Amino acid sequence: MLVADSSVWIDFFNGAGNAASDALEGWLIQGDAEVLMPDLVLFEIVRGFRTDREMRDAMRILAPMGARAIGGEAAALRAAERYRSLRAVGYTVRSGVDALLASYCIDHDHILLHRDRDFLPYVERFGLRAWPLTA
């Protein structure tokens, strides 16, 4: 299962050609991977559309995917523990949503497609599977 962070979706909708947004586009078109849409990522994406037309166009792609709730008490506590563990060794993750998303992907062994340095400590310390995958 592949999860794309809002950084990749925003690039995708803005037409910013980069490896991550191109990979996402390929997976959406070819159906090579199942792409999961977390509810908090959906929020981060849609809050940025400036016009109703942009929103309608995006929802043609996003709506069929549905949105999976990634929170809840147990998930929040695990995410907070990981966040606190990183902070204790000098990493401060800038976004609470990123902390929840990374923790969710770790818990469910999903691959995270992202363009955000806040996820790198989760790869190094907790084994977050991030695209591109290495050995």
Side-chain angles (χ1 to χ4, degrees):
M1 181 78 65
L2 176 75
V3 176
D5 177 51
S6 59
S7 60
V8 177
W9 280 105
I10 290 166
D11 284 350
F12 170 79
F13 285 117
N14 287 333
N18 58 58
S21 63
D22 291 348
L24 176 61
E25 182 176 15
W27 287 318
L28 291 172
I29 292 170
Q30 296 171 14
D32 291 341
E34 186 176 355
V35 180
L36 180 139
M37 174 59 66
D39 55 351
L40 296 176
V41 171
L42 179 63
F43 163 73
E44 287 188 318
I45 296 166
V46 299
R47 72 179 178 174
F49 292 116
R50 292 191 174 105
T51 68
D52 290 343
R53 181 175 184 212
E54 289 174 337
M55 177 75 155
R56 280 192 308 273
D57 290 347
M59 289 310 294
R60 285 189 192 103
I61 295 169
L62 299 173
M65 299 173 71
R68 171 125 3 125
I70 66 169
E73 182 178 356
L77 292 173
R78 282 190 305 277
E81 185 57 36
R82 288 180 175 125
Y83 176 93
R84 292 177 67 246
S85 175
L86 290 174
R87 192 176 63 201
V89 296
Y91 295 107
T92 301
V93 177
R94 297 169 294 164
S95 165
V97 171
D98 287 351
L100 284 164
L101 182 60
S103 191
Y104 178 85
C105 287
I106 292 164
D107 289 346
H108 297 277
D109 198 32
H110 295 328
I111 299 167
L112 180 64
L113 178 62
H114 70 90
R115 289 181 29 86
D116 187 332
R117 72 176 189 253
D118 279 342
F119 293 111
L120 299 179
Y122 288 95
V123 171
E124 295 167 3
R125 297 194 57 91
F126 303 114
L128 171 64
R129 295 175 62 211
W131 183 91
L133 295 175
T134 56

